Amino acid sequence: MHDAVIIGAGISGSALARELSKYKLSVAVLERGSDVCAGASRGNSATVHSGHDATYGTRKAYYNVAGNALYDRMCADLGVPFVRNGMIVMAVTPEDLAELTRLKINADRNGVPGVRVADRRELTALEGTFGKAVTGGLYAPSSGMVCPYSLVIALCENAADNGVAFHLNTEVRHMEKTRSGYRITTNQDTFKTKYVFNCAGVHADDINDMVSGHTFRILPRKGAHLILDKKLSPHVSATISQTPLPLPGGGHTKGMGIMPSVDGTVILGCDAHDVMDKDDVSTTAGGIGEILSFFQENWRHLPISEAYPDFPRDMVIGAFAGIRPHPDTDDFIIGEAADAPGFYNIAGIESPGITAAPAIARELAKEIAEKYELEENVHFNPIRKHQKPFREMSEDERRKAIAQNPDYGKILCRCEQVTKADVLHAIRSSIGARTVNAVKMRTRAGMGRCQGGFCGPEIVNILSAELGIPATGVTQSGEGSIILPYEIGMLGGS
């Protein structure tokens, strides 16, 4: 019997797991994927939004601003890279300028610090020379960048170190009310619990409908992004986006933007299209083409065009897509279901979900603690046990690391400077990597220009040895993604 079960290990579930571990509770997290951060939290722009564009009076606006303020301390405690690089929303047309004025008023009402409408001269001082058509822009200095999957993994590892149990490859099939709480049937086991927290992302409506008659719908909305080579990163510092665009079905998208990732690459995107399949995160020629067409047409507006006058199509090294859980309420759905005591929804957490989730988790955990008079866990440790990656070490730190552990001297991924020691640490951590993609998310091995062409075989070998399974049993991302259909001997060198 658990005190609490969290369904879903994305940003909402992981943040809540960490917050609940501050109390004396038996907490289990059920994740149907082969790893944490298997859904929407992995496939997004990595932007920590300021809150200037979230509609005043909504939960999105409140939790966006509240969550943004938590990032410096949270990321420092967890050892996750985070930078406040600021955001510029540029204006090219008179209509754009009018929209920037509206956004500034909205930002002030939301309590976003430092937002201002800047003229062309100030924009140049901030970021460099924009194209001639750019007349001004909205500047939001509190906007930042984080690696979303690194953050989710760190939250989960810290929660696990504080006593939370994680169950991967565990899909909820049925749930029913009981006298003492809820009985949850999964493909692996049955879980009994007093409280349930529904953080199931695009499937949150399905989970809600198992126990509550107060229904809502999650509408899957796909967004694709492109990744550009690190050679471009010195020419991009602030996040630069176009003014928000209306969507065909109503609402707005933040529009296309160029974003410097905390890992040194540059992200372009994203588009927004309502889709039917909640689990289809494949990239399409149409989606990629839409992003390429926009930037080829608008590249001249950006300061980076001074160094690269033409869009550098040959520096596109990857593409990814994510499904946003857009709720039919057009706002976050948070709180206890009226007809299901002890069942809490944290649903419809689309953009700015990465930003808002830590604040949602903190407030909800406090609410639960007060309502049920929970006792604090005096042994809670907010500091994540973290091993500094080789790529982030100074030369002196690298020499010392290699002297203590020769595996630091074995570079597996040349593009991202990932060593064998980094990979082994990822596999042996409290939420250990069990697939090639899981190693990739924890170490960046395979995220460079060659996209795993060099390090991929070695990582398969290491996973095989560490997990005690044949190479044919190693998967890219869990069930149905076998890499080698039959044995061909050891891959690569060692």
Side-chain angles (χ1 to χ4, degrees), residues 3-24:
D3 295 311
V5 166
I6 299 169
I7 301 173
I11 185 63
S12 296
S14 62
L16 183 60
R18 183 175 185 250
E19 289 297 324
L20 289 180
S21 71
K22 294 178 179 179
Y23 302 95
K24 288 188 176 181

Side-chain angles (χ1 to χ4, degrees), residues 6 12-25 27 70 74 155 158-159 162 164 357-366 369 374 377 380:
I6 299 169
S12 296
S14 62
L16 183 60
R18 183 175 185 250
E19 289 297 324
L20 289 180
S21 71
K22 294 178 179 179
Y23 302 95
K24 288 188 176 181
L25 291 171
V27 181
L70 299 177
M74 176 181 66
L155 287 165
N158 187 237
N162 283 294
V164 175
I360 295 171
R362 178 166 294 191
E363 288 205 1
L364 187 57
K366 286 182 178 179
L374 302 181
N377 174 15
F380 172 78

Side-chain angles (χ1 to χ4, degrees), residues 426-450:
I427 296 171
R428 296 170 182 174
S429 65
S430 53
I431 307 290
R434 296 294 179 267
T435 67
V436 171
N437 275 354
V439 170
K440 183 177 181 178
M441 285 204 301
R442 286 160 177 78
T443 66
R444 290 194 58 78
M447 289 192 184
R449 190 170 184 88
C450 82

Side-chain angles (χ1 to χ4, degrees), residues 12 69 127 165 252 314 345 467 469:
S12 296
E127 185 68 7
H252 282 75
D314 60 333
N345 283 306
L467 303 181
I469 60 176

Side-chain angles (χ1 to χ4, degrees), residues 50 52 87 104 107-108 111-117 122 138-142:
S50 70
H52 65 268
M87 176 180 285
K104 170 65 168 71
D108 291 343
V112 182
V115 174
R116 61 187 183 273
V117 176
E122 186 175 359
L138 184 87
Y139 179 54
S142 64

Side-chain angles (χ1 to χ4, degrees), residues 323-346:
I323 301 290
R324 308 169 207 170
H326 177 66
D328 59 2
T329 61
D330 204 32
D331 197 5
F332 296 159
I333 300 166
I334 302 168
E336 188 174 26
D339 57 346
F343 177 85
Y344 291 83
N345 283 306
I346 305 92

Side-chain angles (χ1 to χ4, degrees), residues 220-234:
R221 180 168 289 165
K222 181 184 283 193
H225 299 78
L226 301 182
I227 306 172
L228 303 186
D229 192 275
K230 289 184 174 183
K231 291 179 180 178
L232 299 177
S233 62

